[in-house]
Amino acid sequence: MNAEIIAVGTELLMGQIANTNGQFLSQELARLGVNVYFQTVVGDNESRMRQSLELARSRADLIICTGGLGPTQDDLTKDVLAAYLGRGLIMHEPSLRYMTEFFESRGVVMVDSNKRQAHMLEGSDPLPNDTGLAVGIALTQDGTHYMLLPGPPKEMKPMFLNYGVQWLRGVMKDEVPLVSRMLKFAGIGESLLEDRLLDLIRGQTDPTIAPYAKEGEVAVRLTTRAASEREGLAAIAPVEAEIRRRVGEFIFAERDVPLETIVLELLKTSGRTLAVAESCSGGQLSDMLTAIPGSSQTFLGGVVCYSNALKNKLIGVPLDVLEGEGAPGAVSAQAAGLLAEGVRDRTGADFGLSITGVAGPDPSEGKPVGLVFVGLAERGKAAETFELKLSGNRETIKLRASKSALTKLWQRLKTV
Amino acid sequence: MNAEIIAVGTELLMGQIANTNGQFLSQELARLGVNVYFQTVVGDNESRMRQSLELARSRADLIICTGGLGPTQDDLTKDVLAAYLGRGLIMHEPSLRYMTEFFESRGVVMVDSNKRQAHMLEGSDPLPNDTGLAVGIALTQDGTHYMLLPGPPKEMKPMFLNYGVQWLRGVMKDEVPLVSRMLKFAGIGESLLEDRLLDLIRGQTDPTIAPYAKEGEVAVRLTTRAASEREGLAAIAPVEAEIRRRVGEFIFAERDVPLETIVLELLKTSGRTLAVAESCSGGQLSDMLTAIPGSSQTFLGGVVCYSNALKNKLIGVPLDVLEGEGAPGAVSAQAAGLLAEGVRDRTGADFGLSITGVAGPDPSEGKPVGLVFVGLAERGKAAETFELKLSGNRETIKLRASKSALTKLWQRLKTV
């Protein structure tokens, strides 16, 4: 099966938002074994939407539209598809009831235009919206499958994952499904990883091997077609074993989770707690950790010791280490070690993890942009420190410093 | 003039990356007064690329392609356009020379495939690449303008801004350019802002009034066509004055900068410093502030006091405020006030700003998800506290809590 994704919305064409729905759906469709040959973005304009539908029908088996299901006069997607397919619009009563209750419970009058959000095409299947008001729909006509999803990602994603995927599996039931496995890596860069696996990647036939990098992490996805999950994983196993033989020490997960999830799990399993001292990363490491629900069980918090004064006042690093002629300075292995030990001791955590460096854009203490020190101090032990040379702009260096610090902690935890 | 943006790359169709180039170019073209009616994403496939070019030529005056200018066999964009327009490929000698020197200086052998990156279409204008190797090109044929840009944003953006825009201004010289002005708002929600400006937005003709919201901030862009910046701003002035009369108190900037930039500027101007105590925002406020280069001059840092133990140990909030029967709890106005005062006093900052609340997904202390308290303590004064009821998921609540805290500080600073 091949698909085309049509994102509807003038705000996309004005550049006010990026078409992240296109990315999300492409990823999920790849996982289902559906090839996406085109993504299109079109404005809230009837004739151009119709033109896009016609074109997509001429070249795709599945057309997924996102956006334009809301209550306003700009929201045209259902009307345009209904006219295009020659079907009427009918009311989806459960959605209408939910909406009526929703407005009543808030003491707000529901205006008529809101009811449009409960519209379906005649003969279509409803896709419930658990996080919003507009109902989605799916239908098949003349051998082409159509799916309409809302534009806001927080509505589109759960609708697609919880209902859309199931609907698609139904219409794809005669196709051999894809089975895939994700390996996630820490402590090895994308190019080195590719280099170590180059012959496998080049010689790949089945399973396919797709390496990729995003947000400071590197992953490899192994994919095959098989009648069952078990058969698929059996076909993947020998290739996975070869990858593990070569670079297994860097694998932190066999599913698509960030490194912080695994670090928090390892801490929880071993019943230990973490506190951090962040200088150049400026709170990003804490922000990452606290993005994971339940992190409060093992992550106590920490100090964003951006200024030298705070490194001294809040963590107790002696000022003569940080400043003055001949001092190692704030960007030094010594400072990183004292920060890690200090934050561990002042918070009572089992682990203290520290980051201090130069995020740029300008050098600091005569030290170059990208020089970063990480300190890791376990209870009862002296801190270990690591020197990193990171590349990129300020934003990238903050991110890479945070992920590198997590990597050092993960390497310690997994050997325990 | 109207434009179509074609992003080339199988990695986009696999969902490995989002088409942020499409967003960036749409935004910049809107600024130039070019309407974008379609964005298309197509894979590294000759016949589908050609099909996209043909379609775009049938409906657009300007076609901008991003991606596919690299050295590999997958990089086809120049070849496909050359064949489509019936032009040959020639070598851009300055790019070739630069590339040769680049490889020599690194002691790396330049393989032949690299030279493809210096190709141009016959009769095209080169667009220099200051941050990479592949040269871009622009040309006009049969009344349609074509521009080819590299895929990596760090090459595409500077090439477009430094050379592409100038080339476009040349071919658009007979069109009256756009002049626009951005007003950014804090402390007022998108729907309330729209409501207060509804008659202006509905009745808009010239200038146009476009409200939008992203990343916890709300903005309005006023746009008109005028021969000069001065004339344009003069045409915008009466509408801007009317907007200011209605909602001027919420405007924090007349340019596209985040609230943290303005807060840091106000602190710097008044010679004062800031420290923060973050509970439910978990480091995000610090991360935002330290994303701004130069923030270290006024932002000292702070404490991510995620656990009650740290609120007590690092900031000195009495445990009997945080825990136990009848205690206000960590999510309370009282705790927010003590956190703000405590972090101010322990760091010696002029302002202490605190955030404590329930980010979810589960309630805490029997308090609902989204309940957040902000504390603001100025040197020598008792803290002022604010109760917020935020909606959204964990990520959104962390973001909105951080922006709301910044808003409270901004409101204080601007009245000084």
Side-chain angles (χ1 to χ4, degrees):
Chain A
M1 185 181 285
N2 82 78
E4 177 150 351
I5 299 166
I6 302 177
V8 181
T10 301
E11 69 280 15
L12 290 159
L13 292 180
M14 297 287 288
Q16 286 161 12
I17 51 176
N19 183 16
T20 56
N21 286 345
Q23 179 186 17
F24 173 83
L25 289 170
S26 291
Q27 234 169 26
E28 294 300 322
L29 289 170
R31 201 164 293 182
L32 291 167
V34 177
N35 294 313
V36 177
Y37 288 149
F38 294 96
Q39 295 169 2
T40 305
V41 177
V42 60
D44 303 306
N45 174 288
E46 194 172 336
S47 82
R48 287 192 286 273
M49 283 166 71
R50 195 181 171 109
Q51 188 186 333
S52 296
L53 281 172
E54 268 168 17
L55 179 66
R57 186 163 75 164
S58 73
R59 59 192 189 186
D61 310 310
L62 166 66
I63 302 172
I64 301 186
C65 298
T66 58
L69 306 192
T72 78
Q73 294 307 313
D74 280 349
D75 294 302
L76 298 169
T77 310
K78 283 173 184 169
D79 308 72
V80 171
L81 185 65
Y84 177 62
L85 297 179
R87 294 185 184 225
L89 288 169
I90 55 172
M91 196 57 81
H92 183 238
E93 293 300 336
S95 294
L96 183 63
R97 262 198 310 279
Y98 174 79
M99 208 185 304
T100 310
E101 282 161 19
F102 175 89
F103 281 100
E104 269 171 10
S105 73
R106 278 162 182 73
V108 177
V109 177
M110 182 169 80
V111 293
D112 263 1
S113 59
N114 272 301
K115 294 185 187 165
R116 290 161 47 82
Q117 297 182 88
H119 276 168
M120 295 174 57
L121 267 65
E122 278 177 329
S124 66
D125 297 316
L127 302 175
N129 190 337
D130 294 337
T131 51
L133 296 178
V135 67
I137 61 159
L139 80 157
T140 303
Q141 180 166 322
D142 303 329
T144 305
H145 310 293
Y146 300 85
M147 188 177 285
L148 305 189
L149 300 170
K154 76 175 178 49
E155 298 179 28
M156 188 279 295
K157 290 181 184 181
M159 184 184 290
F160 183 76
L161 293 175
N162 299 333
Y163 306 103
V165 168
Q166 199 185 348
W167 190 90
L168 281 178
R169 284 194 201 279
V171 300
M172 287 172 69
K173 60 182 181 301
D174 298 330
E175 294 194 23
V176 181
L178 279 193
V179 178
S180 75
R181 190 157 164 88
M182 173 86 113
L183 302 175
K184 295 208 67 173
F185 294 81
I188 184 169
E190 187 189 15
S191 50
L192 185 55
L193 179 65
E194 279 202 33
D195 197 57
R196 296 262 206 114
L197 304 179
L198 200 59
D199 56 314
L200 298 178
I201 295 169
R202 288 221 173 127
Q204 64 178 291
T205 46
D206 183 28
T208 58
I209 306 171
Y212 60 94
K214 64 171 177 182
E215 287 170 22
E217 294 186 348
V218 180
V220 167
R221 190 193 294 277
L222 303 171
T223 308
T224 188
R225 285 188 185 274
S228 72
E229 179 91 8
R230 208 175 125 213
E231 260 180 57
L233 291 179
I236 287 170
V239 179
E240 180 176 337
E242 178 59 23
I243 293 175
R244 284 185 181 277
R245 198 184 62 75
R246 298 183 187 190
V247 287
E249 71 202 280
F250 304 105
I251 297 176
F252 70 81
E254 290 84 26
R255 55 197 164 106
D256 194 6
V257 289
L259 181 56
E260 42 274 28
T261 297
I262 300 300
V263 165
L264 289 167
E265 282 178 8
L266 287 169
L267 284 169
K268 195 174 164 191
T269 313
S270 61
R272 291 189 290 181
T273 56
L274 169 68
V276 303
E278 299 188 66
S279 183
C280 73
S281 56
Q284 187 160 44
L285 175 56
S286 298
D287 190 28
M288 271 179 197
L289 288 163
T290 59
I292 311 295
S295 48
S296 57
Q297 290 174 42
T298 46
F299 177 61
L300 302 182
V303 175
V304 180
C305 45
Y306 211 51
S307 62
N308 283 346
L310 258 60
K311 292 180 183 74
N312 173 255
K313 281 184 198 165
L314 293 184
I315 315 196
V317 179
L319 275 178
D320 59 13
V321 169
L322 302 170
E323 290 169 2
E325 207 165 326
V331 180
S332 67
Q334 199 175 338
L338 291 168
L339 284 169
E341 291 168 2
V343 80
R344 175 197 64 193
D345 296 342
R346 296 218 168 180
T347 62
D350 297 301
F351 286 101
L353 185 61
S354 72
I355 302 172
T356 179
V358 187
D362 300 313
S364 170
E365 301 182 344
K367 289 158 188 167
V369 173
L371 180 68
V372 172
F373 292 88
V374 166
L376 174 58
E378 196 169 343
R379 186 193 292 266
K381 294 184 186 169
E384 198 181 349
T385 60
F386 309 89
E387 182 177 338
L388 311 171
K389 283 173 182 128
L390 305 175
S391 59
N393 60 15
R394 184 180 179 90
E395 192 187 337
T396 314
I397 288 172
K398 285 179 70 183
L399 174 65
R400 291 183 174 161
S402 302
K403 288 283 183 184
S404 301
L406 275 178
T407 300
K408 298 303 176 193
L409 177 56
W410 169 69
Q411 285 166 341
R412 175 76 62 93
L413 287 168
K414 77 181 171 130
T415 61
V416 178
Chain B
M1 186 182 284
N2 82 79
E4 177 149 353
I5 299 166
I6 302 177
V8 180
T10 301
E11 70 280 13
L12 290 159
L13 292 181
M14 298 286 290
Q16 286 162 11
I17 51 175
N19 183 17
T20 55
N21 286 345
Q23 180 186 17
F24 173 83
L25 289 170
S26 291
Q27 233 169 27
E28 294 301 322
L29 289 170
R31 205 164 290 182
L32 291 167
V34 177
N35 294 313
V36 177
Y37 288 149
F38 295 96
Q39 295 168 3
T40 304
V41 178
V42 60
D44 303 306
N45 173 288
E46 194 172 337
S47 81
R48 286 193 286 274
M49 283 166 70
R50 195 182 172 106
Q51 188 184 334
S52 296
L53 281 172
E54 268 168 17
L55 179 66
R57 188 166 72 165
S58 74
R59 58 192 189 185
D61 310 310
L62 166 66
I63 302 172
I64 300 186
C65 297
T66 59
L69 305 192
T72 79
Q73 294 306 315
D74 279 350
D75 293 302
L76 298 169
T77 310
K78 283 174 185 168
D79 308 73
V80 171
L81 185 65
Y84 177 62
L85 297 180
R87 295 184 184 224
L89 287 171
I90 55 170
M91 196 58 83
H92 183 239
E93 294 299 336
S95 294
L96 183 63
R97 261 198 311 280
Y98 175 79
M99 208 185 303
T100 311
E101 282 162 18
F102 176 88
F103 281 100
E104 270 172 10
S105 73
R106 279 160 181 74
V108 177
V109 178
M110 182 169 81
V111 294
D112 262 2
S113 59
N114 272 302
K115 294 186 186 163
R116 291 160 47 80
Q117 297 181 88
H119 276 169
M120 295 174 56
L121 269 67
E122 279 178 326
S124 67
D125 298 316
L127 302 175
N129 190 336
D130 295 337
T131 51
L133 296 177
V135 66
I137 59 159
L139 79 159
T140 302
Q141 181 167 323
D142 303 329
T144 305
H145 310 293
Y146 300 85
M147 188 178 285
L148 305 189
L149 301 170
K154 75 174 179 45
E155 299 179 29
M156 187 280 294
K157 289 181 185 181
M159 184 185 291
F160 183 76
L161 293 176
N162 299 333
Y163 306 103
V165 169
Q166 198 184 348
W167 190 90
L168 281 178
R169 284 194 201 279
V171 300
M172 288 171 69
K173 61 182 180 300
D174 299 330
E175 293 194 23
V176 181
L178 279 194
V179 177
S180 76
R181 191 159 163 86
M182 173 86 111
L183 301 175
K184 295 208 66 172
F185 293 81
I188 184 169
E190 187 188 16
S191 50
L192 184 55
L193 179 64
E194 279 201 35
D195 197 59
R196 296 261 207 114
L197 304 179
L198 201 58
D199 56 314
L200 297 179
I201 294 169
R202 289 221 171 127
Q204 65 178 291
T205 48
D206 185 27
T208 58
I209 306 171
Y212 61 95
K214 65 171 174 182
E215 287 169 24
E217 295 187 348
V218 181
V220 167
R221 191 192 293 276
L222 303 172
T223 308
T224 188
R225 286 187 185 274
S228 72
E229 180 89 9
R230 206 175 128 215
E231 258 180 56
L233 291 178
I236 286 170
V239 178
E240 179 177 338
E242 178 60 23
I243 292 175
R244 285 186 180 275
R245 197 185 62 76
R246 298 185 188 189
V247 286
E249 73 204 276
F250 303 106
I251 297 176
F252 70 81
E254 288 86 24
R255 56 198 164 107
D256 194 6
V257 289
L259 182 55
E260 42 274 30
T261 297
I262 300 301
V263 165
L264 288 167
E265 282 178 8
L266 287 169
L267 284 168
K268 195 174 163 192
T269 313
S270 61
R272 291 190 289 182
T273 56
L274 169 68
V276 303
E278 298 189 67
S279 183
C280 72
S281 57
Q284 186 160 48
L285 175 56
S286 297
D287 190 29
M288 269 179 200
L289 288 163
T290 59
I292 311 296
S295 47
S296 58
Q297 291 175 40
T298 46
F299 177 60
L300 301 183
V303 175
V304 180
C305 45
Y306 212 51
S307 63
N308 282 346
L310 257 60
K311 292 181 183 72
N312 173 254
K313 281 185 197 163
L314 293 184
I315 315 196
V317 179
L319 276 177
D320 60 12
V321 171
L322 302 171
E323 291 169 3
E325 207 165 328
V331 180
S332 66
Q334 199 177 337
L338 291 168
L339 284 168
E341 292 168 2
V343 80
R344 176 198 62 194
D345 295 342
R346 295 218 169 179
T347 62
D350 296 302
F351 285 100
L353 185 61
S354 72
I355 302 174
T356 180
V358 188
D362 301 312
S364 171
E365 300 182 344
K367 288 159 187 166
V369 173
L371 179 66
V372 172
F373 291 88
V374 165
L376 174 58
E378 196 169 343
R379 185 193 292 266
K381 294 184 185 169
E384 198 179 350
T385 61
F386 309 89
E387 181 178 338
L388 312 171
K389 282 171 184 133
L390 306 175
S391 59
N393 60 16
R394 184 178 177 90
E395 191 188 336
T396 314
I397 288 172
K398 284 178 70 182
L399 174 66
R400 289 183 177 161
S402 302
K403 288 284 183 183
S404 300
L406 274 178
T407 300
K408 298 302 177 193
L409 177 56
W410 168 70
Q411 286 167 341
R412 175 75 62 91
L413 286 168
K414 77 182 173 126
T415 59
V416 177

